[in-house]
Amino acid sequence: MNDWPQGWSGNNGGDRQGRGSASAQPEGARVMRQVQRGPGAGSRSPAPPHGVPPQQTYTDGHGDDGYDGYNTGQVYGGGPQGPGPGGRPDRPAPNWRRRIKLTSIAVATTLVVVSVGTYFWADSKLNRDVDLSKVIDRPDAGEGTNYLIVGSDSREGMSAEEKKKLRTGSAEGKRTDSMMILHVGDNGNTMISLPRDSNVTIPTFKGSESGKTFQGTGRQVKLNAAYAEDGPELLVRTVESNTGLRIDHYAEIGFAGFAQIVDSLGGVEIEIPKGGMKDTKSGADFEAGKQTLDGQQSLAFVRTRYALAGSDLDRTKNQQKFLSALANQTATPSTILNPFKLYPTLSSGLDTLTVDKDMSLWDLGSMFWAMKGITGGDGKSMNMPISGNAGNGNLQWDTAKVKTLVDQLKNDEKVTVTSDR
């Protein structure tokens, strides 16, 4: 009697023995039973007895039933995967290389958009009010770029309270409080202060407003009188005429803007010389040593002259020192990469900065980087060489030294001239 279900006999319709039989035929020689895949499989297998689930029919691999000779693995669980736990399909592994690439593109695009937007925003805030094309009889251009940097005592836009706080007084109009020539070249940058009491000759010039030509009469005045008489254009004309050096760009900032820039940076660190500094007229009252000055204190520092042994000559040195420190602190990653610091600083400076019509943001950046470099030792700072006092009491330039200095600047050579007498 056979207890196997019908269709599962030991020899499967043949005289071969099943696994575990006493047949002498080797195991490897027997043909493994396979799943019947052909269309006729149902006709060859009788229905199973009641209560036994239908089973796939096995065959010995012979016959024309559509079997391709390979098991698909479905019987042994090797077929396509079904839904994962909970009936949800398995998620594919994340493509990190693609994600990193897309993120990098997004970040780069954002930086470009922000940079371009910042450039046009800053460019629109520049006050290009100085027209150097009105300056006549100009010297030939030399190598490098020459900036005339002016700090004016303009009180424009300041309230009575601000004037009192900053000790600026209430004088009408504008005068120059400091003047410097900054030469930017390939052989080192040079910053030269022009004392406002320098004795200069007012040349023939064309009025910036009237367009009328005023003939020179050999009239000698203090340098800051040229600015007071006809503004930036006459100042540039006077500097060029008395030095023979062509000025390429002009930049000016007033009292209020200067203080605002310093405050937006959170103050500027400066070294107060031995003995400290106290001046009731400017409001300076500093102990010796390194300290951080706010806007009000910074303005007092650069305006102090009566508390200094060299008066205006020592003051110009302090002005150079402070402007270089200001540029050094402005052009740092902590300011440039911090929008909460960069935009207030740019806004404060650009709102009150007056430049010539041809000044670009690139030129302005070059000017600041040059001042920063001088602080780091990449360049030289000095006063215009002085030989003594003129007959009218003004400071007289050393003619021979000034000529050598100008020749070196024109040829973009390393400056060897000193301001020592």
Side-chain angles (χ1 to χ4, degrees):
M1 180 177 179
N2 190 346
D3 294 331
W4 288 87
Q6 190 174 358
W8 286 77
S9 61
N11 56 13
N12 200 19
D15 57 358
R16 292 189 182 97
Q17 299 300 314
R19 183 179 299 274
S21 70
S23 171
Q25 186 175 1
E27 180 72 11
R30 297 195 298 273
V31 179
M32 181 177 179
R33 294 187 299 246
Q34 302 293 344
V35 177
Q36 174 65 38
R37 297 171 56 90
S43 62
R44 297 185 183 182
S45 300
H50 180 71
V52 178
Q55 302 293 327
Q56 296 187 16
T57 304
Y58 285 78
T59 182
D60 58 5
H62 300 285
D64 185 12
D65 52 19
Y67 175 63
D68 58 6
Y70 293 91
N71 189 291
T72 64
Q74 292 179 350
V75 174
Y76 304 101
Q81 296 293 321
R88 294 174 298 178
D90 292 339
R91 293 183 178 180
N95 188 337
W96 290 108
R97 179 175 298 179
R98 183 171 181 272
R99 289 188 181 185
I100 292 172
K101 181 180 179 180
L102 292 176
T103 301
S104 299
I105 292 174
V107 170
T109 302
T110 301
L111 288 176
V112 170
V113 170
V114 171
S115 298
V116 171
T118 299
Y119 179 90
F120 284 105
W121 168 79
D123 187 74
S124 68
K125 294 179 75 66
L126 278 177
N127 301 309
R128 295 184 172 93
D129 297 333
V130 179
D131 189 357
L132 296 183
S133 67
K134 295 179 180 179
V135 180
I136 62 174
D137 300 333
R138 309 193 67 186
D140 293 333
E143 300 294 327
T145 304
N146 300 312
Y147 298 84
L148 181 59
I149 304 171
V150 173
S152 77
D153 64 358
S154 172
R155 298 154 178 84
E156 185 177 353
M158 296 175 65
S159 65
E161 182 63 28
E162 288 174 325
K163 293 177 183 178
K164 180 179 179 181
K165 177 182 177 182
L166 298 177
R167 293 175 178 261
T168 63
S170 299
E172 297 297 327
K174 294 196 300 182
R175 283 157 295 277
T176 53
D177 207 56
S178 63
M179 291 161 284
M180 302 175 190
I181 294 174
L182 174 65
H183 174 80
V184 180
D186 295 331
N187 289 297
N189 306 316
T190 305
M191 184 184 289
I192 308 159
S193 285
L194 309 175
R196 67 179 189 175
D197 291 343
S198 297
N199 190 55
V200 295
T201 300
I202 298 294
T204 299
F205 69 96
K206 182 184 290 187
S208 59
E209 296 295 334
S210 66
K212 180 181 177 180
T213 299
F214 297 88
Q215 293 296 328
T217 61
R219 179 166 50 103
Q220 294 187 335
V221 297
K222 292 180 178 179
L223 181 57
N224 65 345
Y227 181 94
E229 188 171 329
D230 197 45
E233 287 85 0
L234 179 53
L235 177 61
V236 170
R237 168 74 176 121
T238 302
V239 169
E240 289 186 342
S241 175
N242 283 263
T243 63
L245 184 69
R246 186 184 181 96
I247 300 299
D248 300 297
H249 292 294
Y250 178 92
E252 174 190 328
I253 192 165
F255 283 162
F258 181 82
Q260 288 171 9
I261 291 175
V262 174
D263 285 335
S264 66
L265 287 171
V268 171
E269 188 176 74
I270 200 77
E271 180 81 25
I272 303 298
K274 186 177 180 180
M277 184 185 296
K278 189 168 185 177
D279 185 354
T280 56
K281 291 191 176 182
S282 69
D285 188 6
F286 309 120
E287 298 292 334
K290 186 176 291 186
Q291 51 194 283
T292 299
L293 307 183
D294 62 20
Q296 177 183 349
Q297 294 169 324
S298 298
L299 192 56
F301 176 80
V302 299
R303 295 182 63 212
T304 295
R305 62 185 300 193
Y306 297 104
L308 305 174
S311 187
D312 200 39
L313 292 178
D314 283 349
R315 181 174 73 158
T316 56
K317 294 178 182 178
N318 282 340
Q319 289 170 346
Q320 289 181 346
K321 179 180 179 180
F322 189 88
L323 282 180
S324 295
L326 176 64
N328 187 61
Q329 187 162 324
T330 302
T332 58
S334 63
T335 298
I336 296 175
L337 300 179
N338 183 353
F340 298 103
K341 203 171 185 180
L342 175 63
Y343 284 94
T345 301
L346 284 176
S347 182
S348 299
L350 296 174
D351 279 343
T352 55
L353 187 66
T354 300
V355 299
D356 65 271
K357 292 185 180 297
D358 295 325
M359 175 83 89
S360 68
L361 280 178
W362 180 267
D363 296 321
L364 191 61
S366 175
M367 184 184 80
F368 264 86
W369 280 104
M371 289 192 293
K372 174 183 170 67
I374 290 174
T375 303
D378 182 20
K380 181 176 184 177
S381 60
M382 59 182 289
N383 278 324
M384 186 65 83
I386 303 294
S387 61
N389 290 92
N392 56 9
N394 299 335
L395 294 173
Q396 185 64 50
W397 293 349
D398 187 318
T399 306
K401 282 190 172 184
V402 169
K403 184 180 184 308
T404 303
L405 172 63
V406 170
D407 287 343
Q408 290 176 339
L409 294 177
K410 277 187 172 182
N411 296 320
D412 195 23
E413 300 171 351
K414 185 176 179 61
V415 171
T416 60
V417 177
T418 65
S419 55
D420 299 330
R421 294 185 185 181

